[in-house]
Amino acid sequence: MYNNMKKLFLLGAIAALFFVSCEKEDNNTRPYSNGTMTLNCVKPAYLSAGDTVALISPSYYTPMENVEATADLLRSWGLVPVIGPNVGKVEDGKYAGTVAERVSDILWAFDNPNIKAIICNRGGYGTIQLIGQIPLSKLSASPKWFVGFSDICTLHGLLNRAGVMSVHGTMSSFLARGGSDTTSTMMRDLLLGQIPRYHLPAHAQNITGTASGVLVGGNLCTFTPNLGSQADAMMGRDLILFVEEVGESMHNIDRQMRILQMNGVLDRCKGIVLGEFADCGSEFTYENVEEMIRRIVEPYGIPMLCGLPAGHGDVNLPLVMGAPVTIDVRADGATLSFDIDGEQHDVNTTDVVAKAKPAAYRMRLAGKTM
């Protein structure tokens, strides 16, 4: 009898350990794993007048005057801003507080049911330090719009892995300038339910074709180091990969793309979208960064859309990460559409760039990098 009881106890202990292990694995791999499933993210509710929006700093420090100016802008939009408890702190001369403080503000914003959206104050560096500190179950339990770009792409990866869409868009460091520009107003309108359908001119490095999939990616040197981690949103299949960069050499961009290639990411892509490559190097004789990437992508037989004004340029059009999208790349131009509910409207990116940056518009027509 003693031996039977001992066996039952051991079986029970093993079962309990298996359950805990599975629960932990589920929290870190949802909603897919090992490239066998398509990422399926829920769309947070669109905002309405009077909704509360949090301002937090997950990366580098932002001057409080920028944060306060953004809060004033949100009020002018009919929204109610709240500032994270640790915003304004400085750690090691650059970070917006310690890792624990920055994580605390993220969890504070997601735990507060009154907060309907979160806008990051700036990027810089530091979100890679937060990987493993934020339970994905916290993010999925209370889906809400999360806005940012650059270093914030790590957090887009976390959210998309948790099964929640997010917005690759402008932050307080830009919104504080006044908020009347197209970059700012389109981000606002997207949060309110107006979904852009982007129409782009022809680009010399485009690869024609049509593809549908889930939009992932962002800043290349931010998301590539996260491969295999809790923040890796590129483990599934049927991806539309968005890539942009700023201030990087061509050889480092090539290196990051080769890392994606070696890890099987390009094998899982249905299409590629290239945004801005602002102030990037030209140490090789490629016409531009887009040509260099096209040579890597061509053997995969998938379409590639170039010249989307999103990233670190003067125009940073918003994108819904984790959303199902369709790209249609033709000889005479291209279209990027988000296959989600909302008030769809057409945006001619040629007009947007021509208004904001005439010189860049002329370069874009020539198929050159801005």
Side-chain angles (χ1 to χ4, degrees):
M1 182 175 180
Y2 172 79
N3 287 335
N4 288 338
M5 290 179 64
K6 185 176 180 181
K7 288 178 181 178
L8 287 172
F9 174 80
L10 288 172
L11 287 171
I14 291 169
L17 286 171
F18 178 79
F19 175 79
V20 170
S21 175
C22 289
E23 183 178 46
K24 181 178 180 181
E25 182 70 12
D26 178 63
N27 283 340
N28 284 295
T29 62
R30 79 175 81 206
Y32 58 70
S33 62
N34 301 324
T36 60
M37 297 177 63
T38 300
L39 180 63
N40 184 20
C41 295
V42 301
K43 179 182 64 58
Y46 294 122
L47 301 186
S48 300
D51 279 345
T52 300
V53 177
L55 298 173
I56 65 171
S57 298
S59 298
Y60 274 176
Y61 163 77
T62 307
M64 283 305 296
E65 55 264 33
N66 287 351
V67 180
E68 294 292 353
T70 301
D72 289 341
L73 177 63
L74 293 177
R75 293 186 189 98
S76 74
W77 289 350
L79 301 169
V80 179
V82 291
I83 298 173
N86 291 298
V87 171
K89 293 184 177 179
V90 184
E91 181 74 12
D92 297 325
K94 283 282 191 179
Y95 297 120
T98 63
V99 169
E101 288 168 339
R102 286 178 278 142
V103 167
S104 176
D105 275 9
I106 293 171
L107 297 179
W108 161 81
F110 274 95
D111 285 340
N112 188 331
N114 295 320
I115 293 173
K116 304 302 181 185
I118 303 162
I119 297 177
C120 297
N121 290 319
R122 69 159 294 181
Y125 177 74
T127 55
I128 196 170
Q129 302 165 344
L130 312 185
I131 295 176
Q133 307 295 314
I134 303 169
L136 300 189
S137 57
K138 282 277 189 181
L139 307 180
S140 60
S142 180
K144 52 189 73 179
W145 290 114
F146 192 95
V147 184
F149 74 106
S150 193
D151 190 56
I152 304 304
C153 291
T154 295
L155 301 178
H156 289 311
L158 282 171
L159 280 154
N160 297 163
R161 277 292 296 275
V164 181
M165 295 181 196
S166 55
V167 176
H168 182 281
T170 192
M171 302 178 286
S172 292
S173 52
F174 191 92
L175 294 169
R177 302 178 189 180
S180 60
D181 58 282
T182 301
T183 292
S184 301
T185 57
M186 284 191 61
M187 186 274 286
R188 174 201 63 195
D189 293 345
L190 191 155
L191 293 177
L192 296 172
Q194 297 184 39
I195 310 303
R197 183 186 298 106
Y198 295 128
H199 297 268
L200 294 91
H203 193 288
Q205 305 303 333
N206 277 352
I207 301 174
T208 59
T210 302
S212 296
V214 180
L215 189 66
V216 295
N219 182 254
L220 181 64
C221 289
T222 294
F223 71 74
T224 301
N226 299 337
L227 290 175
S229 78
Q230 182 194 40
D232 181 5
M234 293 171 286
M235 296 176 71
R237 65 189 183 198
D238 300 336
L239 305 175
I240 301 293
L241 179 65
F242 167 62
V243 176
E244 66 85 23
E245 248 319 328
V246 59
E248 288 293 339
S249 64
M250 276 191 169
H251 71 262
N252 195 38
I253 292 172
D254 181 86
R255 178 186 291 116
Q256 304 305 314
M257 291 298 299
R258 302 291 178 177
I259 291 171
L260 295 177
Q261 185 178 44
M262 289 185 288
N263 281 272
V265 174
L266 299 186
D267 292 308
R268 299 193 291 274
C269 286
K270 293 290 187 180
I272 307 288
V273 175
L274 299 186
E276 302 282 11
F277 291 93
D279 302 321
C280 288
S282 56
E283 66 268 35
F284 300 121
T285 56
Y286 301 111
E287 177 70 20
N288 44 37
V289 173
E290 288 89 342
E291 182 192 356
M292 182 178 71
I293 294 177
R294 178 178 57 78
R295 294 194 191 181
I296 298 172
V297 172
E298 269 185 324
Y300 292 87
I302 57 177
M304 186 170 83
L305 184 160
C306 301
L308 179 70
H312 285 79
D314 287 348
V315 179
N316 183 17
L317 298 181
L319 300 168
V320 185
M321 309 307 291
V325 300
T326 298
I327 60 172
D328 180 20
V329 187
R330 309 172 306 278
D332 64 345
T335 304
L336 167 62
S337 57
F338 299 93
D339 303 323
I340 57 178
D341 71 297
E343 185 181 338
Q344 299 275 342
H345 66 105
D346 294 310
V347 176
N348 188 320
T349 63
T350 299
D351 294 341
V352 173
V353 174
K355 180 180 178 181
K357 203 171 179 184
Y361 164 67
R362 291 191 292 271
M363 292 180 70
R364 189 180 298 280
L365 289 183
K368 297 179 180 180
T369 304
M370 292 207 289

